[in-house]
Amino acid sequence: FYRQMFRLTFPIIIQNLLSAAVNSADVIMLNYVGQSAISAVSLAASYSNILFMVYYGLGTGASLLCAQYFGQNNLQAIHAIEGIALRFSIAISGVVALIAFTMPNRMMLIFTSDPELISIGSSYLRIMGITYLCWGVTEVYLAILRSIGRVTISMALNMLAFVLNIILNAVFIFGLFGLPKLGAAGVAIATTISNMVSTVMVISCLHQKRDEFRFEFHKMRIEWKDLKRVLMIGIPAGIQGAIFSVSNVFIQSGINSFGEDAIAGSSLALNFEYFTYDIAGAFAQAAVTFTSQNFGAGNMKRCKKIFWLCLLFGFGFTEILSVIFIVWEDFFVSIYTTSAAVAAYGIIRMDR
């Protein structure tokens, strides 16, 4: 039992940490471009955070039900849930991408009136619109794969995207191999290309002929009973996550009034929050998968055991990591910036 639980949890932890590491790499590299680039990307990335919370809601609803049906060995129902979740995620991604393509300036005006930050952020958002479309496919489908225990595929694809993103970040930000230095736009281009490659790999997995969970559109009929169950779970989970992200938007708007150093410092400290949050999130995802599978199989005793173990491990690892970041905060902050003012703001947020 314990071996099975950690075989599921460990790849999810790696996957989540890789996502946080990509954000960290963006901040570190943009530090050499300038505070304006860091500030603009930090503000524009707020939309990505909100969108991820929507995916989290859909993914939670879909994965919870898929795990239950997996425990009951009901493959047809899994296909139906998969179809519902993918339709919603692609539609939502399409709307946000359309706004990013056509009105990026208005999106930035919500956060700042600084012309330079609006210009940099708008170019970033316009390119990121393509990434939003890619996430509409990959995030929900990978969540469903995790729900049936196929975490290795998800981890491998995230490792590929991570390595590619880091390399392309350096190429486009610093203008390697004779390419122009693109700064913040280079971050968006690197993210978009790496996610396009990841999406192609996911689609190729979807079409594996010998895979019982391969993509077959005719099996993905919308059953109103399943649609209702997905929405009953997904909407509250999505709203809960979105409230957290939207509250951060208001906090960020307040931080903006203190200037670019404060924005950059807050963005820096946020990376450490992502690392700790992602550890807890990995155990939460493992709890959803294992609990749902055992609930579907009718093993209620094991459900309680899984809940308490994941809660204990998630809390324990998060606290340990938080203490490490706080005790050696000067060292960790110095990795991201050489500016004393930015570092001071970053430490203030970490200590609070």
Side-chain angles (χ1 to χ4, degrees):
F1 168 74
Y2 292 100
R3 181 182 299 177
Q4 185 182 9
M5 189 179 79
F6 279 102
R7 281 178 62 185
L8 175 67
T9 307
F10 182 73
I12 297 176
I13 291 175
I14 297 299
Q15 176 186 336
N16 289 357
L17 291 179
L18 286 175
S19 298
V22 169
N23 294 327
S24 296
D26 290 346
V27 174
I28 292 171
M29 292 186 188
L30 284 174
N31 180 57
Y32 294 95
V33 178
Q35 299 303 329
S36 296
I38 296 176
S39 300
V41 170
S42 173
L43 296 177
S46 298
Y47 291 103
S48 297
N49 296 334
I50 294 173
L51 200 52
F52 263 107
M53 289 302 102
V54 174
Y55 298 140
Y56 171 78
L58 282 172
T60 299
S63 60
L64 192 152
L65 294 176
C66 284
Q68 288 184 23
Y69 287 132
F70 184 72
Q72 299 169 2
N73 199 31
N74 188 342
L75 302 185
Q76 181 57 48
I78 293 176
H79 281 294
I81 298 298
E82 181 183 354
I84 292 169
L86 283 174
R87 283 180 174 91
F88 272 93
S89 64
I90 292 172
I92 293 169
S93 298
V95 171
V96 178
L98 180 62
I99 296 172
F101 290 143
T102 58
M103 296 185 292
N105 289 353
R106 292 181 180 275
M107 294 174 73
M108 288 300 297
L109 277 170
I110 294 175
F111 299 110
T112 181
S113 58
D114 187 313
E116 184 181 10
L117 297 185
I118 291 174
S119 176
I120 296 172
S122 295
S123 64
Y124 175 87
L125 284 170
R126 190 173 286 111
I127 299 168
M128 284 294 292
I130 302 173
T131 301
Y132 300 154
L133 295 173
C134 294
W135 286 341
V137 176
T138 57
E139 291 304 315
V140 170
Y141 184 69
L142 292 179
I144 292 172
L145 283 182
R146 287 194 296 269
S147 73
I148 57 176
R150 297 192 177 185
V151 292
T152 306
I153 296 175
S154 180
M155 184 181 70
L157 290 175
N158 274 273
M159 290 182 70
L160 172 66
F162 169 74
V163 173
L164 188 58
N165 201 329
I166 297 298
I167 294 172
L168 293 178
N169 262 349
V171 170
F172 292 119
I173 292 174
F174 302 122
L176 304 181
F177 307 112
L179 294 173
K181 295 181 180 180
L182 299 175
V187 173
I189 294 172
T191 303
T192 297
I193 293 175
S194 61
N195 276 281
M196 287 174 67
V197 172
S198 180
T199 303
V200 170
M201 296 296 292
V202 168
I203 293 174
S204 68
C205 291
L206 284 167
H207 284 85
Q208 290 294 326
K209 293 183 178 179
R210 297 181 180 179
D211 194 328
E212 58 188 354
F213 296 102
R214 64 187 178 274
F215 180 85
E216 292 182 282
F217 193 79
H218 67 278
K219 290 185 178 181
M220 296 184 179
R221 300 186 302 271
I222 293 182
E223 300 288 344
W224 293 108
K225 178 186 70 173
D226 292 326
L227 174 61
K228 182 179 179 181
R229 294 186 69 190
V230 169
L231 295 180
M232 285 180 64
I233 299 169
I235 290 177
I239 290 175
Q240 176 185 342
I243 287 174
F244 178 76
S245 295
V246 171
S247 66
N248 278 334
V249 169
F250 287 107
I251 293 171
Q252 188 65 58
S253 298
I255 292 172
N256 295 348
S257 63
F258 292 99
E260 290 185 9
D261 287 338
I263 297 173
S266 175
S267 174
L268 179 158
L270 198 58
N271 286 282
F272 301 111
E273 294 181 21
Y274 287 148
F275 278 115
T276 53
Y277 176 81
D278 287 340
I279 293 290
F283 283 101
Q285 292 172 37
V288 168
T289 298
F290 269 124
T291 303
S292 300
Q293 288 180 0
N294 283 276
F295 181 82
N299 193 340
M300 297 302 296
K301 184 178 180 180
R302 179 169 283 190
C303 288
K304 294 180 180 179
K305 185 178 182 181
I306 292 165
F307 167 75
W308 286 111
L309 280 174
C310 288
L311 179 63
L312 176 64
F313 282 117
F315 177 79
F317 280 108
T318 299
E319 290 303 306
I320 291 170
L321 196 57
S322 298
V323 169
I324 291 172
F325 285 146
I326 294 299
V327 172
W328 289 285
E329 60 187 13
D330 290 331
F331 167 73
F332 286 112
V333 168
S334 68
I335 296 174
Y336 290 87
T337 183
T338 56
S339 169
V342 172
Y345 279 114
I347 289 174
I348 288 172
R349 173 153 187 171
M350 289 176 69
D351 288 342
R352 299 301 185 274

